[in-house]
Amino acid sequence: MARQAGAGGSVTVSGTGWRPRTLLMLLVCGRATPARGVVGGTNSCANGDGRAVTTDADGAFRRKLPVAEPPVPCPCVVHVATVTGAGAEADAVLEVAGHPVAPLPAERSAGRLAVLSDARLTGSSGLLTWFGAPPSRTLVLTVGNTGTSPIENPVFRVGTAHGVFAPEWDERQWRGTLAPGKKARIKLPVELSAGAHGDYTVTLRYGGR
């Protein structure tokens, strides 16, 4: 993939090592680096100019992506993420010629949150959903602090996506302090729109990851 391009042009994105026959979303995102991910989630991306692609039987793909200016300054990346199934993502550096560049926000703490168990959704729709109430679920996972400082009242971003559409993000705060080397079971509410049906993908982000 070309490392630099101007808005209005395009780059050809290719990759290998993904799950076979998996739907991916390709986005140009600002305020991001491969090391830190997309700080701010897909709100930092040119979502309207994203492209979807399905990997082949060997887990490879190749797709032309228009270069659009993201809503936040660079550094920028091409962000590739799975739309369905187990979450996986990758970022590649892209210089968007003429787009503003600003330093990334400082990381807030030396604490580092790691997911220690597979996330799962619990709950089911009740009688009220038949009368228009939004369906709700609970996202449950175990996290650990692998850093050197405590993490206090972390704020997570929970994204819900229907089909190939970009996720809609909500902030969810977990109340508590996670000391270095400790772990905790996290439960976060997930609310879908009224009348939601079919398959949804739920994504959890913390600190741009």
Side-chain angles (χ1 to χ4, degrees), residues 55-113:
T55 59
D56 62 21
D58 298 318
F61 74 90
R62 186 179 182 87
R63 182 74 157 90
K64 184 173 286 188
L65 175 68
V67 176
E69 296 190 78
V72 296
C74 287
C76 294
V77 299
V78 170
H79 179 70
V80 183
T82 53
V83 175
T84 57
E89 58 185 40
D91 298 305
V93 172
L94 176 67
E95 295 182 24
V96 180
H99 192 63
V101 178
L104 291 178
E107 295 191 76
R108 290 176 292 183
S109 129
R112 185 177 178 86
L113 212 59

Side-chain angles (χ1 to χ4, degrees), residues 159-186:
T160 56
H162 189 201
V164 299
F165 295 101
E168 295 183 4
W169 297 92
D170 292 306
E171 290 191 347
R172 300 282 187 245
Q173 186 171 43
W174 180 75
R175 297 287 182 178
T177 300
L178 196 58
K182 298 298 183 180
K183 62 182 180 179
R185 191 165 182 250
I186 302 290

Side-chain angles (χ1 to χ4, degrees), residues 70-207:
V72 296
C74 287
C76 294
V77 299
V78 170
H79 179 70
V80 183
T82 53
V83 175
T84 57
E89 58 185 40
D91 298 305
V93 172
L94 176 67
E95 295 182 24
V96 180
H99 192 63
V101 178
L104 291 178
E107 295 191 76
R108 290 176 292 183
S109 129
R112 185 177 178 86
L113 212 59
V115 176
L116 303 179
S117 71
D118 290 337
R120 60 189 178 90
L121 286 173
T122 64
S124 58
S125 299
L127 180 62
L128 290 178
T129 59
W130 290 91
F131 296 94
S136 61
R137 299 289 188 270
T138 300
L139 183 63
V140 182
L141 69 158
T142 300
V143 299
N145 183 356
T146 60
T148 57
S149 298
I151 299 174
E152 297 183 3
N153 302 325
V155 176
F156 298 89
R157 290 172 58 80
V158 178
T160 56
H162 189 201
V164 299
F165 295 101
E168 295 183 4
W169 297 92
D170 292 306
E171 290 191 347
R172 300 282 187 245
Q173 186 171 43
W174 180 75
R175 297 287 182 178
T177 300
L178 196 58
K182 298 298 183 180
K183 62 182 180 179
R185 191 165 182 250
I186 302 290
K187 295 183 178 181
L188 302 171
V190 178
E191 187 172 284
L192 305 177
S193 58
H197 65 281
D199 293 331
Y200 279 76
T201 300
V202 177
T203 305
L204 180 70
R205 281 190 170 274
Y206 176 78

Side-chain angles (χ1 to χ4, degrees), residues 27 29-31 37-45 47 72 79 157 169 205 207-209:
L27 296 167
C29 301
R31 199 173 290 156
V38 182
V39 179
T42 54
N43 288 336
S44 298
C45 304
N47 293 302
V72 296
H79 179 70
R157 290 172 58 80
W169 297 92
R205 281 190 170 274
R209 299 179 181 273

